[in-house]
Every structure is written in C-alpha cells, then in structure tokens.
Amino acid sequence: MNFFPDERASELRELFFESSQELLQEMNEAGLELESHAEDPEIIRRIRRVVHTLKGDSAACGFRELSTLAHEMEDALRPELPHGMHKFLVEVIFTAADTFQAMLAAYRMDVAPPSGDELREHIRRITRIPKHQSPAPNRAARKFDWSEVQRERIAESLSCNVRVYNIALEIDPAMGMHSAAFQLVQNVLKNVGSILAIYPVDAAAAEYASHIEAAIESDHSEELIATKCKIPSVVSSVVIERISEAKEPSQDVLEVLLQAEARASGVFPASLSAPAPAAVHPSASTKISDEPSESEHSAAVRMAADRTLRVDADRIDTVLNLIGELIIGKSMLHRTIVEFDKHHAKDPLRSRFADALALQSRVLEELQRSVMKIRMVPVEQLFRRFPRLVRDIAKTREREVVLNVSGENTDLDKGILDALAEPLAHLVRNAVDHGVETPADREAAGKPRCGAVQLNAYHQGNQMVIEVSDDGRGINRQKLVERAIERGIVSASEASKLTDSEAARLIFEPGLSTADEVTEISGRGVGMDVVATVLERLKGTVEIESTPSLGTKFRLLVPLTLASIQALLFRIGGRLYAAPVANVVEITRVTGADIHHVDSHSVIRLRDQLLTLVCLDQPPAADAKKVFVVVIGAGDRKFGLVVDVLMGEEELVIKTLDDHLASSDIVTGASILGDGTVVLILNISAVAGRLGRTPALGAIA
C-alpha cells in the first residue's frame, strides 16, 4: 500500500537511492576495518545498524526483496560469534554489500532484482553454529526484538482489536533435527493463527537454534494455542502471553528463552530462578547495555539530518546557469557604460552608473561563489570507494598492496567528481594489477613484499590535481613502443624520435596495452583510452611520470568548475577565440623569419627550446614583421598558438555546443560577450593531443 502521491513517492525513492549509496559505502569501510580488527564487537554493531537502516528504508519504499534479505543479514551480524568465524563474516559483509548494490541498481532501472541466494547461503553458514559453541546466555540478549516492519505489523493488528500473542517454545534437547522441529512449529502456528513475526527466519537457520520465538494474530485462547504447540518429543515447553502493545516479553517468557539457551550451552546461571528485577522487567527508561539501540541511533541521525537539505543537482545547475546569464548581462551593462562615458564624459550620471555596476559586480561575484560552494564536495567522497577495490584486486591477483590517501578534504565540483570516478578506477586497477609486482618479485628486486598505491589531491591555481602513483615496476618504454609499432599507431622512424614523455603517452591509444595476459581486471587496452577521453571532455589533461623499477605516477589536472573560466581572447582569421588563462604560459612576438620548418612542423626557438607552432588559419608569410604567439601549456607539453590580434582577458560563461554546430573536437564550447559576439573556446588538451601527428590543424569550418 502506498500512502504517498506518485510524485512524492518518486522523490522519496530517489532520496533512498542516494542515501543507500552512503550506507553501502559505510558498510564496505566497516568491513575493511573488521578485516584488521577481527573480533571488534563495535564494528559489527555499526554494520548491523547500517543494515537495519537499509532494511527499514527499503521497506518504506516498497522494495520487499531487499528489505527481507537485509533482515536475514541482521541475524549474521552478532558480536558473540564463535572464535574464527569473524574472518568469514568479513566475506559475508562484502557479499552483502555487492548484492544490495546490484538489487538497488535493478530497482532504479525498474527491473526484477537479482537473487540473493548466494548471500543467504553465506548467512546460513554463519548462523549454523554448533551447539557446543553456543554463547553463554545473556539477559541483555535479543528477545522479541522485532524489526521496525514487524513491530508495525503487530501494531496494525492490535489497532484492529484482534488478539496478538508472543510465544516462546523450547525445542526438546532430544530432538535431533531442529530444522524439522521449526517446520512443524511453523505449521502449527499457521493453523492456529497468522504469523506476524518469527525467529529464526527459516528452517535452515533453525538447525542449531535452541528455541523458537513468534508473534501471531489469533482468535483462539492461550490454552488452545499452548496445547497445539506442545508437540510431543519436539517442543519441551511453551510460554504464551497476550500483548496489548508491542513491548518487551514478560518474566515467564524470558525464563523459557534463558533456560533454553542455558541447556544448549551447558551453562546454568545461578540467578536463573531469581533474576534481578532490572534484567527481567526492562522498561523504556532502562539501559540494558552500553550500545545505543537502533531506534536511538536513528533518532540521532534524524536530528543531525535536520540541518541538512538535499537538493537535486539539476536545480543547482539551473541557478548556476541563471547566474551565467547575469554575468553576460553585467558585461553588456559594462560595455554600455563605456559607450555612455565616451559621449557624456561630464554627465553626473556617469559616476552613479559606475557605482551601481560596481555594487552589482560584487554581489554577483559573491552569489556565484556561494552557489559554486554548494556544488563543491570533498574529494574524499570519491577516494573512499577505492580501499575496497584495491583489497579485492590484490586478493584476486595475489598481491600485497596498501592504499595511502592524502588530500581527501580538497573540494571539487560535484559534476567533475562524478565524471572522474571511472578514469580513477581504471588507474587504480592498473596500478594494482600491472604496476605492483608479486610479493616474490618485489623481494627479488630488494623491495618490501607489500606494494603501495597512493591517491593524492590538491589545488594548483584554478585547477585540481589528482595523483595516482605506485611503487611498482614502472612503464616499459621498449615494450610500449614495440606494441605501438605493431598496431600501426606510429612508424619505426617516428618512434625513434619520441621523448620519454611522448612514448609514455602512447599508453592512452585505444587498444594498446603492455600486459602479457588479459585478466578480468585489465589488459585489454581500453581503460587508459577511457581516462584520456574523459579528461578531454572535462577540459583537463594527464601527465605521466614513470621510472623503471621505481613506479609510475599519473597526474590528472582538471578545472575546479565547468561553469565559467577566466579566458584570454584573440582573433585568428577574423574569428574570435578564447583559451583558459590557466593554460597560458606567456605571450611572445616573432617575425616570419623566426619561423622554421622541421619534419613538416613549423617551430620557433624560444630561449633554450624548440616550440611547435599551431596555425588555425594560414601560416604567417616569410616576410611577416609581427606575429603574436600565445605559448600554451597542456600538462607536461607546450606549443605556440599563432594569433592575429590579442583582445584581452574576460570572464566567460561556458555554453556547450551540439555536434552539428561544431564539427571539430578542438572546440570545447562557446560563450557570448556583452555586445552579443560569440567566442569559441578552444579545447587545449585536444589541440595538444594532435600535435605529434598533424603539422597544422587548419581553420575551423
């Protein structure tokens, strides 16, 4: 039954999908902690709270399969597991996280969720604890601690003025097959009423259970139900209490449960016959243990969430787009005031216009900065996905790898952060699979058995730099160049002229890989191509530093935002272009005589180095007396862009262009100036990427 309008229900589901990713991430992180601290009960409690929240939220959204599976998972998350079972519990936790993730993806696409049978089998292995390993009875243990959904079901039955009973049944110790006993009890309960809640959850989980708990709705009397449940040679004792509200069990019910546990473990507490009042009559104000209850934890989370407002990213983008229009309007107003100043220099309105424009500029700048901060999130949200990835790949490939993270509090635009997830995953996979050697190879090379992968982030001007490095074998230049020649990417003569940096960049060519074998993780030569493609789309660049036997470092440089840039404007062939100021190294002026031709490329000597020239229009004549060259830096490379006229700097609001408007990939977008002029924004990384193969890019059609 859906209590919300369709639109509201849709919003709640989207909110659930978003929050569930945080829950699963927390589950993965806690699983990694448990792997290092195998029997820490607090970590298990944290995971149980996560699963409990996921169970309740998924049930509220109508995702019954996920809610049921999460409820079953709760049974495996017990701090009192036998010694040695906690390591297996780690694998169960990771399996659960992957299963829940797959189910969420299916729900989001409105398709049937995958089966949770593999996870259920793991849960059964955890919950099938031999009797001699059963923990000693604990009065603070779970007794009728039904889930939120089950409590709601009980409360709903009570609201209909029907009888609801809590039942505790001790399985006869002489009964060999407890799963069969559970099935018989369940059949009896179905015959006398409707089962609202039951523990264990199924016959397989009941194999080593010493008792059965249930809440049923029934019109029969307590005496009749007790008689039916007292199955000879199956159930040794039964205690029933009628409840008027969802509350803790009574003294008699607790006695049956405690005695059943005591017999199963062989331990009989001295105080069993006369328990302390606080232990057997817990009230709402009684603190049974130091651990906060799940309801208390949820309340604390809700209080903290009251200060947080979740807003769809598209709404923020709309506001940011409107701010862009205001920036264009400010530019138009500025140009109008300049024209007014030329014709009415002594008019008293001149200073008032200037003051109004200055105020508008300050407020607009602050507004833009504030909205941008809303979109900025710490890069930690991206980095925290990779410890589990490194752990799984290292285990699969029999590596010993530690992941070190720094700079995780550095902020980046949410859109760019999401786009970087896939390329960073490829780089991390390659670092573990191909970069870091096997423990034996590392020892033979005089290295520690355990390799290291480093993730680092920091700001550099108006760019964000993310580094992925390893202390592995490094890139084999000879093998990389040979593979490139085999695939016809470069000729042998071209390969002999490549610098180390240019040779390393061959790794980004589609289908090129130096791996000797193709694994499930990498080796097909597609991952690095994805890295280059995504960085180009983000108007970013990639730098590579690699030293044989010492390791490799990839540096991803991306803008802090894709909304606006400070740009240098210039004209080429009568058309207005712009390049980000962050990429402009310097501006120089040469003559036609200073331009030389080497291997079909136009070059100039700039101090101690040769600089390749890029001409978007006709190359300068040999007798040209003044040629402007804008020196552009793209990662670890530089080139000179020949321009006709420099137009100065201006803040530009980037507008994306449809493919039919710009057929060249060297244009990344456009902007509109205050006078209505359209300026094309160059894709610097695309221009730099084609330098080695194209002597002149030609004019843009």
Side-chain angles (χ1 to χ4, degrees):
M1 182 180 295
N2 189 356
F3 297 97
F4 302 101
D6 290 343
E7 182 178 353
R8 179 58 178 158
S10 177
E11 291 180 2
L12 289 174
R13 289 192 177 196
E14 285 302 317
L15 182 61
F16 165 69
F17 287 135
E18 183 177 347
S19 62
S20 62
Q21 297 306 312
E22 284 294 316
L23 293 173
L24 293 182
Q25 182 59 48
E26 186 177 348
M27 192 172 174
N28 277 316
E29 291 172 355
L32 291 171
E33 287 185 51
L34 190 63
E35 197 167 35
S36 302
H37 306 83
E39 299 190 11
D40 189 335
E42 181 54 36
I43 298 176
I44 299 178
R45 293 188 187 103
R46 277 170 47 202
I47 300 172
R48 193 175 191 276
R49 284 196 293 264
V50 169
V51 175
H52 181 81
T53 303
L54 186 64
K55 176 187 69 175
D57 291 351
S58 58
C61 291
F63 301 142
R64 184 179 298 276
E65 297 89 345
L66 176 56
S67 178
T68 301
L69 191 58
H71 175 66
E72 295 175 25
M73 180 63 190
E74 282 185 285
D75 290 332
L77 297 169
R78 295 176 296 170
E80 69 274 9
L81 284 173
H83 180 71
M85 291 293 287
H86 290 80
K87 289 187 176 180
F88 179 67
L89 179 60
V90 171
E91 298 299 332
V92 179
I93 290 167
F94 288 142
T95 301
D98 294 341
T99 303
F100 294 158
Q101 181 68 63
M103 297 180 82
L104 287 167
Y107 286 131
R108 196 156 202 167
M109 294 185 294
D110 288 328
V111 298
S115 169
D117 291 344
E118 180 184 359
L119 176 58
R120 284 191 171 91
E121 182 58 34
H122 286 319
I123 294 172
R124 291 188 183 106
R125 290 178 62 187
I126 283 287
T127 54
R128 288 175 186 172
I129 304 173
K131 295 181 183 180
H132 67 276
Q133 291 184 331
S134 298
N138 178 358
R139 294 185 182 279
R142 182 183 83 76
K143 300 293 179 278
F144 291 122
D145 182 19
W146 305 125
S147 69
E148 183 178 351
V149 174
Q150 290 168 329
R151 287 197 299 270
E152 290 176 357
R153 194 179 300 147
I154 293 171
E156 185 178 351
S157 295
L158 291 171
S159 66
C160 297
N161 294 322
V162 297
R163 297 177 184 175
V164 177
Y165 299 97
N166 272 341
I167 306 175
L169 307 95
E170 182 185 2
I171 300 177
D172 194 319
M175 177 68 180
M177 299 180 61
H178 286 205
S179 57
F182 174 88
Q183 195 65 54
L184 291 171
V185 170
Q186 187 179 48
N187 292 339
V188 169
L189 294 177
K190 288 180 179 178
N191 288 332
V192 297
S194 177
I195 299 176
L196 303 176
I198 191 168
Y199 176 85
V201 293
D202 57 23
E207 181 61 35
Y208 297 104
S210 58
H211 63 274
I212 300 172
E213 307 169 38
I216 70 169
E217 171 189 310
S218 176
D219 293 331
H220 298 294
S221 65
E222 296 180 28
E223 292 76 11
L224 176 62
I225 297 174
T227 301
K228 294 286 187 180
C229 289
K230 193 72 177 293
I231 307 172
S233 302
V234 175
V235 176
S236 57
S237 63
V238 179
V239 173
I240 301 178
E241 64 171 347
R242 182 176 175 180
I243 59 175
S244 57
E245 58 180 342
K247 62 179 183 179
E248 296 290 340
S250 68
Q251 162 82 29
D252 293 337
V253 175
L254 263 178
E255 283 290 327
V256 170
L257 298 176
L258 287 172
Q259 289 177 22
E261 286 185 340
R263 290 193 186 96
S265 61
V267 179
F268 292 85
S271 59
L272 187 60
S273 59
V280 295
H281 296 296
S283 64
S285 61
T286 302
K287 185 175 181 180
I288 305 178
S289 68
D290 292 333
E291 178 193 0
S293 68
E294 271 129 3
S295 59
E296 291 172 340
H297 176 77
S298 300
V301 171
R302 283 195 297 271
M303 290 177 64
D306 287 343
R307 296 177 55 84
T308 303
L309 179 64
R310 291 183 180 269
V311 180
D312 191 278
D314 289 340
R315 297 185 181 183
I316 300 176
D317 290 340
T318 300
V319 176
L320 203 56
N321 191 51
L322 292 174
I323 291 176
E325 298 298 328
L326 288 176
I327 293 175
I328 295 174
K330 181 192 72 173
S331 179
M332 295 173 62
L333 183 58
H334 175 71
R335 289 175 181 268
T336 302
I337 291 176
V338 170
E339 291 294 323
F340 181 87
D341 190 31
K342 289 179 180 179
H343 295 89
H344 309 281
K346 297 182 179 180
D347 195 305
L349 290 176
R350 172 179 171 273
S351 61
R352 294 170 62 183
F353 283 150
D355 291 343
L357 179 62
L359 175 62
Q360 184 202 42
S361 298
R362 287 196 302 271
V363 174
L364 186 56
E365 182 180 353
E366 184 61 31
L367 177 61
Q368 183 183 19
R369 187 181 299 113
S370 299
V371 176
M372 288 306 305
K373 284 182 179 179
I374 296 176
R375 283 192 58 90
M376 303 294 275
V377 294
V379 75
E380 176 196 17
Q381 293 190 12
L382 180 58
F383 281 3
R384 63 190 300 200
R385 307 178 188 181
F386 296 117
R388 166 78 191 280
L389 179 67
V390 170
R391 179 256 185 198
D392 289 349
I393 297 175
K395 187 172 182 180
T396 301
R397 299 293 293 158
E398 298 181 349
R399 304 284 200 270
E400 294 181 15
V401 185
V402 60
L403 177 66
N404 300 315
V405 176
S406 57
E408 60 268 29
N409 293 324
T410 310
D411 289 339
L412 183 62
D413 184 279
K414 179 68 163 59
I416 299 178
L417 194 76
D418 291 341
L420 286 175
E422 185 177 8
L424 272 182
H426 284 299
L427 292 176
V428 171
R429 286 193 192 98
N430 275 1
V432 179
D433 192 17
H434 297 311
V436 177
E437 310 94 331
T438 63
D441 289 343
R442 290 181 64 86
E443 286 185 332
K447 295 182 177 181
R449 286 179 57 87
C450 184
V453 174
Q454 174 79 33
L455 282 174
N456 185 27
Y458 56 91
H459 287 151
Q460 189 178 77
N462 63 347
Q463 287 185 307
M464 159 73 83
V465 181
I466 298 180
E467 296 178 344
V468 182
S469 58
D470 64 72
D471 64 349
R473 57 174 59 92
I475 296 176
N476 188 324
R477 173 190 165 121
Q478 181 179 354
K479 181 184 290 188
L480 183 61
V481 172
E482 288 175 354
R483 296 282 175 87
I485 295 174
E486 290 174 4
R487 292 184 174 273
I489 296 172
V490 294
S491 65
S493 60
E494 290 174 333
S496 63
K497 300 174 185 177
L498 293 175
T499 65
D500 288 343
S501 175
E502 291 170 338
R505 296 191 68 83
L506 290 172
I507 202 169
F508 295 117
E509 293 292 335
L512 185 62
S513 174
T514 60
D516 294 322
E517 62 174 324
V518 176
T519 69
E520 295 179 357
I521 300 166
S522 57
R524 295 177 176 82
V526 295
M528 303 307 291
D529 176 34
V530 170
V531 174
T533 301
V534 172
L535 266 292
E536 183 175 323
R537 188 171 68 245
L538 293 175
K539 309 172 187 64
T541 55
V542 189
E543 298 176 0
I544 308 175
E545 299 175 12
S546 185
T547 304
S549 302
L550 295 181
T552 303
K553 176 185 291 185
F554 290 89
R555 299 178 74 241
L556 311 184
L557 294 88
V558 294
L560 295 179
T561 176
L562 299 178
S564 63
I565 58 169
Q566 194 69 23
L568 175 68
L569 276 60
F570 43 81
R571 288 192 178 274
I572 303 176
R575 185 167 291 172
L576 190 60
Y577 295 94
V581 170
N583 294 110
V584 177
V585 178
E586 61 179 294
I587 300 173
T588 187
R589 192 167 64 180
V590 300
T591 65
D594 296 324
I595 301 175
H596 306 280
H597 297 279
V598 179
D599 291 337
S600 302
H601 288 77
S602 297
V603 299
I604 61 171
R605 179 173 291 279
L606 184 64
R607 292 182 287 277
D608 297 331
Q609 63 178 340
L610 288 179
L611 191 70
T612 303
L613 294 183
V614 173
C615 301
L616 299 184
D617 196 41
Q618 297 299 322
D623 58 349
K625 298 187 181 297
K626 184 176 68 172
V627 178
F628 287 106
V629 176
V630 179
V631 181
I632 302 291
D636 54 355
R637 293 176 293 173
K638 292 181 182 178
F639 63 90
L641 184 63
V642 178
V643 305
D644 298 334
V645 183
L646 295 171
M647 304 297 294
E649 292 185 22
E650 190 160 341
E651 183 180 14
L652 300 180
V653 178
I654 301 174
K655 302 291 185 181
T656 58
L657 294 175
D658 293 335
D659 292 339
H660 69 278
L661 294 178
S663 58
S664 175
D665 63 346
I666 66 172
V667 173
T668 189
S671 188
I672 303 174
L673 301 183
D675 60 358
T677 305
V678 175
V679 54
L680 298 178
I681 303 171
L682 293 179
N683 186 345
I684 300 301
S685 60
V687 175
R690 295 166 59 176
L691 280 178
R693 301 189 297 272
T694 310
L697 299 181
I700 299 175

